[in-house]
Amino acid sequence: MIEKALRYELNKVSELENKIFPMNAPEGQKPPYLVYITRKKPLKDLGGVTEDRECYLILNILCSSYFEMKDITKKIEDIIIKGSLKSIGKENLYIQDIDITDISESYEEQLKLHRGIITFTVYYKEE
């Protein structure tokens, strides 16, 4: 459910609309596009497992030019920052907190693409 809600929000970046993929992009995909990786786990308290969840995400924004990558990465960063303490997606998944770990960049020689990388953790309640 968290992936669906995040894709819904990230599709608001017009350059990436319907170009957001889990794990890998389809072969031949034209840039710009976004590939994401998730790692989820339930949280516990003294009473055991709760409805609270934690999801660690790595977003990879791949673009033909450095300036396009910087622009799209900034748009995504803004969406992430504004995501705390609100409901996202069509499912209205409530986001309790977001912790951005890192924002970095690299160049993929083999793909000839600039990569913006955003890593963050989302804390939410699954009902």
Side-chain angles (χ1 to χ4, degrees), residues 2 4 7 23 41 59 71 104:
I2 184 74
K4 191 173 182 182
R7 273 195 315 270
M23 307 290 283
K41 69 178 183 180
L59 304 182
D71 180 55
S104 58

Side-chain angles (χ1 to χ4, degrees), residues 52-63:
D52 294 330
R53 300 287 185 262
E54 174 184 299
C55 183
Y56 176 74
L57 290 110
I58 302 171
L59 304 182
N60 292 278
I61 302 101
L62 292 118
C63 301

Side-chain angles (χ1 to χ4, degrees), residues 26-93:
E27 191 171 334
Q29 176 64 47
K30 300 272 188 267
Y33 58 89
L34 183 144
V35 176
Y36 66 91
I37 300 167
T38 63
R39 184 177 68 219
K40 297 183 283 189
K41 69 178 183 180
L43 299 178
K44 299 178 183 179
D45 62 16
L46 294 175
V49 176
T50 69
E51 292 179 345
D52 294 330
R53 300 287 185 262
E54 174 184 299
C55 183
Y56 176 74
L57 290 110
I58 302 171
L59 304 182
N60 292 278
I61 302 101
L62 292 118
C63 301
S64 299
S65 79
Y66 177 77
F67 296 106
E68 181 180 42
M69 180 272 296
K70 292 294 278 186
D71 180 55
I72 294 173
T73 300
K74 178 67 174 131
K75 289 177 183 177
I76 291 171
E77 178 187 355
D78 291 345
I79 288 171
I80 294 167
I81 288 169
K82 293 174 185 166
S84 280
L85 301 174
K86 70 180 229 178
S87 296
I88 65 168
K90 289 182 180 177
E91 300 80 12
N92 289 318
L93 184 69

